[in-house]
Amino acid sequence: MTAPRPPSGRSRSLQDSSESEKMEGTGSWDALEWTKIEPVSRSVSFGNLDCLLEEERVIVEGYGVVLMNTDEAGTLLVTNFRILFLSEGTRKIIPLGTIPLATIEKFSKMVQKIQSNTRQSEKNLPRRLLQVTGKDMRIIVYGFRPRTKQRRAVFDALLRCSKPVRIWDLYTFACGPSKFCNTDPKERLLNEYFRLLGRSSLRASVDMIEDGSFTLSNEMWRITGLNSSYNLCQTYPFALMVPKSISDEELLQASTFRARCRLPVITWCQPGGGAVLARSSQPLVGLMMNMRSNYDEKLAASFCTQLAACDGTRRKLYIADARPRKNALANGAMGGGSESSSNYFQSEIVFFGIDNIHGMRESFCRLRDYVDMHGTTSSDGMSSFLRHGGWSWSGGNLSSMSASVSTLGDSGWLIHVQSVLAGAAWIAARVAMESASVLVHCSDGWDRTTQLVALACLLLDPYYRTFAGFQALVEKDWLAFGHPFSDRVGMPNISGSGTELPRQSSSVASYPSSPVRQSTTSMASQSSSSSHGQNNYSPIFLQWVDCVAQLLRMYPSAFEFSSTFLVDFMDCVLSCRFGNFLCNSEKERQLCGISESCGCLWAYLADLRSSGAISHVHSNPFYDPLRFDGPLLPPAAALAPTIWPQFHLRWACPLEASAAEIEVQCRAMAAKYSETQKVTHPSSLPGEVDSNPHPTVNGFTAEPSRPFSSRLYERKLFPSVKV
């Protein structure tokens, strides 16, 4: 249910409607006389534009099109990758009107009648409008010249290309790896496991994966290859980190007690201690909540290792259920449910009350409508300053200002973000302050569970706040552990592409009745066109990145990357230009040959940074790894999120969304300082020893310009403090 909006003199947005719908209204667009727009010569070819990417080809061209949001006239091109909107005279790309096809959530045709004051025969020509709603907070409206078939041609092209039935029809397969080649993500996962086990000197290889020699261990934990053929769990990675005291046979038995066989496994372990973060799906306790599994209880108890004290005391286990308590109990009707603390050794059950994917999707839509309604470049072409009956904020229309703030609150987005942040902070505090272990799950263990676990890891481990660590975190907890990106982003998956997945092993398939026991293959995950119909689309990953941006705002010196990096990273994910985030699991990506057939997002972002080094906009000029070399434990009072301006406001309020001036100045000064250091302090000669080597934090070298940037930041904010 959408939030109520304050009344206004005209409708805010061009809502979804059929072509026969007519909307009355006037606005700044009326000054444009459609009959005077001269179409570009049809002999002009756009096939060789410099702005086209590799293997990008133009499918449809539209001339004399107007971007209603900003009243800009230009040429609209639909390619096999995106909608390109070029300015009328210069042919420069207009960013607001240019959107990748995969980023489009929906589109529709509309007609709006123009009330003109001129005495012309065509004074009542209707506006032929096409509204495009993006997954990146955009609502774009294009206007087409009347009495042409350009809008029909563009609409048909979008029908064919924006929601392909087969995954192979995505642009990334046509482009191929190009220069952004991808290494095997399995190797990177193993390297992260080796780091967690304290074996960072080892490097994974293809041979190690093929011969199974990656099953290493330390005194408490081990890597198992039990799922190397995905027979244990189709949505888990090929390698799992588990307690050393639990055998593979016990793991196999324990998996039958968890939904979709997603048994409890370790995703992070405390360096030098025994506390762990573990993840799973809900237990299958049944309607009466009386079903038990000795293997599952033994596996959970193995996370309660001995504390550092010599008295033999074992650490506590918190079981964090991300769902509201009533939802967890309701799942018992389908065979699921939640644990009982009396059945699990030294445990305590906590419910976080985080909403499901449907609530998040509806909240995001309300937030997008709010930003579009109250922005300076709204989809109806009218600024929020002039929206309410001709009044402006400066004219004293305080009631509409209050109503806009109320509408933001009614969207619920910031409340949801706060719930995820609070849950992750609670988990991190239990591990860091009590040295307790925490097992996190929701229903399936791949949406809310992943949000909480990945965010808690980011708080606990400073390595994950670097470029390399952030990549390792995303690839481990989001990709390897089976967040269904195809379903959540709304793209075709392997089920709709004509490839049949192997079925689960017989030990799992012997439980036929409950839906929560069914394998991912048997679940109805269809192509993107039906994904919306099944309500599987939801901005879960975007919400998590939003949470990361909130932490970056709270701790501006704790992250190596900037908010701009997060925006560009999210754009790459939504565009599906690269293959890393296709499909629903590691197994599906392997069957599709993604790493060999598609370009790598991480390689692309690294290539962008290589040109600017620390002065690049992706690098955080305030980063100080020596100051923040431990856990981040934000107090509850600090967990008050705000709109993420760089992402949420960049289209509707571009000036307000730009980076802070102090960050721009600091980055420029840091670059000048770095160049000065190169001149005044050249590299040491061979044989000389640097008396002040760069310090290392978690194996990463602290760059010399970082402390300077941090000191510069402190001088600007606190000029009286000596640093």
Side-chain angles (χ1 to χ4, degrees):
M1 180 176 179
T2 59
R5 299 192 178 100
S8 61
R10 62 171 287 174
S11 173
R12 171 202 59 87
S13 177
L14 304 168
Q15 303 296 334
D16 299 343
S17 59
S18 64
E19 188 170 359
S20 61
E21 178 183 354
K22 298 188 181 295
M23 301 173 61
E24 302 292 336
T26 59
S28 57
W29 236 24
D30 297 340
L32 182 64
E33 296 185 39
W34 290 88
T35 55
K36 293 184 178 180
I37 297 180
E38 296 296 333
V40 179
S41 172
R42 297 306 176 103
S43 62
V44 176
S45 174
F46 291 94
N48 296 320
L49 282 174
D50 294 336
C51 60
L52 293 180
L53 303 174
E54 185 177 358
E55 298 299 326
E56 185 179 12
R57 53 186 176 80
V58 177
I59 299 173
V60 170
E61 304 170 4
Y63 305 93
V65 180
V66 172
L67 181 62
M68 185 174 182
N69 305 61
T70 56
D71 286 352
E72 293 180 85
T75 302
L76 186 149
L77 307 177
V78 178
T79 74
N80 58 335
F81 172 60
R82 55 184 166 170
I83 295 177
L84 270 171
F85 191 79
L86 309 178
S87 63
E88 189 70 25
T90 63
R91 285 199 190 181
K92 291 183 179 179
I93 293 180
I94 306 299
L96 175 59
T98 299
I99 181 171
L101 300 180
T103 309
I104 298 174
E105 179 182 326
K106 58 186 177 181
F107 54 92
S108 58
K109 294 186 294 181
M110 284 152 289
V111 173
Q112 185 178 16
K113 195 170 183 179
I114 302 175
Q115 297 295 336
S116 176
N117 295 325
T118 60
R119 296 176 176 271
Q120 298 178 1
S121 59
E122 297 181 340
K123 63 180 180 180
N124 290 324
L125 286 177
R127 296 169 176 167
R128 298 291 194 266
L129 303 179
L130 178 66
Q131 184 187 66
V132 174
T133 302
K135 304 167 188 173
D136 59 352
M137 297 292 294
R138 268 188 281 190
I139 300 179
I140 316 168
V141 177
Y142 304 100
F144 294 83
R145 298 171 63 245
R147 298 176 180 173
T148 68
K149 296 183 179 180
Q150 290 188 133
R151 185 181 63 164
R152 164 57 66 181
V154 170
F155 184 84
D156 290 345
L158 292 180
L159 281 178
R160 296 193 308 270
C161 302
S162 66
K163 303 294 180 185
V165 176
R166 304 188 313 156
I167 189 175
W168 330 109
D169 295 330
L170 291 171
Y171 164 77
T172 183
F173 286 94
C175 179
S178 186
K179 66 176 181 178
F180 307 117
C181 295
N182 196 0
T183 58
D184 191 348
K186 290 184 176 181
E187 295 180 35
R188 299 196 291 270
L189 177 64
L190 287 178
N191 288 332
E192 176 58 13
Y193 281 169
F194 295 163
R195 185 189 75 88
L196 292 172
L197 292 178
R199 309 287 293 273
S200 299
S201 58
L202 297 176
R203 306 302 296 175
S205 64
V206 176
D207 293 338
M208 182 181 291
I209 295 173
E210 291 179 349
D211 60 25
S213 58
F214 58 83
T215 55
L216 307 178
S217 65
N218 60 16
E219 63 275 10
M220 288 183 289
W221 323 115
R222 69 183 178 96
I223 303 173
T224 176
L226 181 61
N227 200 41
S228 57
S229 298
Y230 306 103
N231 290 326
L232 175 71
C233 177
Q234 292 193 9
T235 57
Y236 264 7
F238 79 105
L240 302 170
M241 196 157 63
V242 297
K244 192 174 182 179
S245 59
I246 303 296
S247 68
D248 282 353
E249 179 59 32
E250 290 173 317
L251 293 174
L252 185 63
Q253 294 296 329
S255 69
T256 63
F257 189 67
R258 293 282 168 168
R260 302 181 188 274
C261 303
R262 295 174 65 91
L263 74 162
V265 293
I266 298 167
T267 186
W268 184 84
C269 50
Q270 190 178 34
V276 298
L277 280 180
R279 59 180 298 166
S280 70
S281 60
Q282 65 181 337
L284 304 180
V285 296
L287 180 61
M288 305 303 296
M289 300 289 179
N290 58 356
M291 301 296 292
R292 297 180 60 178
S293 168
N294 292 333
Y295 296 102
D296 186 77
E297 293 169 16
K298 180 180 179 181
L299 176 57
S302 64
F303 300 141
C304 303
T305 54
Q306 287 190 2
L307 292 168
C310 300
D311 58 0
T313 304
R314 296 176 67 176
R315 71 188 71 248
K316 188 173 183 177
L317 173 67
Y318 288 97
I319 300 178
D321 194 324
R323 303 166 293 181
R325 181 190 296 268
K326 63 178 183 179
N327 293 23
L329 297 177
N331 269 272
M334 298 182 64
S338 192
E339 298 87 349
S340 171
S341 58
S342 61
N343 297 336
Y344 288 82
F345 176 78
Q346 211 155 306
S347 66
E348 181 179 337
I349 316 297
V350 181
F351 293 90
F352 286 165
I354 300 175
D355 209 347
N356 58 25
I357 62 172
H358 311 297
M360 301 305 182
R361 179 181 62 250
E362 294 165 2
S363 176
F364 179 76
C365 291
R366 291 194 294 267
L367 176 66
R368 182 172 55 200
D369 288 343
Y370 164 81
V371 171
D372 179 67
M373 178 178 183
H374 297 284
T376 57
T377 57
S378 300
S379 59
D380 61 1
M382 178 178 286
S383 169
S384 61
F385 291 101
L386 304 173
R387 182 177 308 284
H388 300 281
W391 289 62
S392 65
W393 294 156
S394 57
N397 194 2
L398 298 179
S399 61
S400 56
M401 292 179 66
S402 301
S404 70
V405 176
S406 176
T407 304
L408 172 61
D410 291 341
S411 73
W413 182 259
L414 297 183
I415 298 298
H416 293 316
V417 169
Q418 186 179 36
S419 296
V420 177
L421 282 170
W426 187 92
I427 293 170
R430 301 288 76 75
V431 175
M433 300 176 68
E434 298 182 23
S435 193
S437 292
V438 183
L439 169 61
V440 186
H441 71 75
C442 50
S443 296
D444 294 317
W446 54 38
D447 288 311
R448 289 165 284 192
T449 298
T450 306
Q451 287 181 321
L452 291 169
V453 167
L455 210 58
C457 286
L458 198 74
L459 290 170
L460 288 167
D461 197 334
Y463 168 64
Y464 293 132
R465 303 193 287 269
T466 66
F467 282 114
F470 185 77
Q471 175 182 345
L473 176 65
V474 171
E475 291 197 305
K476 170 174 64 75
D477 278 307
W478 286 95
L479 291 168
F481 276 94
H483 176 68
F485 275 98
S486 284
D487 289 344
R488 298 296 179 262
V489 177
M491 280 291 104
N493 57 39
I494 197 170
S495 301
S497 300
T499 303
E500 183 179 358
L501 294 176
R503 296 196 174 274
Q504 288 274 35
S505 63
S506 57
S507 61
V508 177
S510 59
Y511 296 90
S513 56
S514 175
V516 293
R517 297 188 191 272
Q518 296 178 17
S519 68
T520 10
T521 307
S522 59
M523 297 303 290
S525 54
Q526 303 297 331
S527 64
S528 62
S529 58
S530 61
S531 177
H532 284 274
Q534 293 181 352
N535 293 324
N536 288 327
Y537 165 73
S538 187
I540 298 300
F541 185 65
L542 168 59
Q543 188 177 58
W544 179 79
V545 177
D546 191 343
C547 291
V548 177
Q550 302 291 339
L551 292 176
L552 179 55
R553 175 183 56 83
M554 285 185 262
Y555 300 98
S557 300
F559 294 81
E560 185 180 17
F561 46 84
S562 66
S563 184
T564 303
F565 165 78
L566 294 177
V567 172
D568 291 347
F569 166 69
M570 199 65 229
D571 282 346
C572 289
V573 173
L574 294 176
S575 73
C576 294
R577 179 182 173 185
F578 306 98
N580 304 73
F581 293 83
L582 297 180
C583 302
N584 287 330
S585 65
E586 179 184 277
K587 176 183 179 179
E588 291 186 5
R589 282 185 288 274
Q590 177 176 301
L591 289 176
C592 291
I594 296 295
S595 58
E596 299 86 8
S597 304
C598 305
C600 178
L601 176 151
W602 308 109
Y604 169 74
L605 294 176
D607 183 69
L608 290 180
R609 293 195 302 274
S610 64
S611 59
I614 60 170
S615 63
H616 194 273
V617 293
H618 287 179
S619 298
N620 180 8
F622 308 137
Y623 179 50
D624 190 348
L626 300 181
R627 181 182 173 191
F628 293 95
D629 59 351
L632 300 178
L633 301 177
L639 297 175
T642 63
I643 280 186
W644 179 16
Q646 287 85 356
F647 187 86
H648 292 143
L649 300 181
R650 57 177 168 157
W651 304 117
C653 308
L655 291 180
E656 290 73 12
S658 59
E661 185 66 24
I662 187 174
E663 180 178 332
V664 177
Q665 294 179 5
C666 184
R667 183 175 285 109
M669 295 179 68
K672 291 180 180 179
Y673 177 81
S674 180
E675 291 298 322
T676 303
Q677 289 295 95
K678 291 179 181 178
V679 175
T680 57
H681 301 287
S683 302
S684 301
L685 296 175
E688 292 183 344
V689 179
D690 190 350
S691 60
N692 185 27
H694 303 156
T696 59
V697 179
N698 291 308
F700 279 80
T701 303
E703 296 172 316
S705 62
R706 298 305 189 195
F708 166 78
S709 301
S710 181
R711 291 196 300 271
L712 176 64
Y713 172 68
E714 292 173 1
R715 286 195 185 103
K716 282 180 174 288
L717 295 186
F718 313 105
S720 62
V721 179
K722 294 182 179 180
V723 291

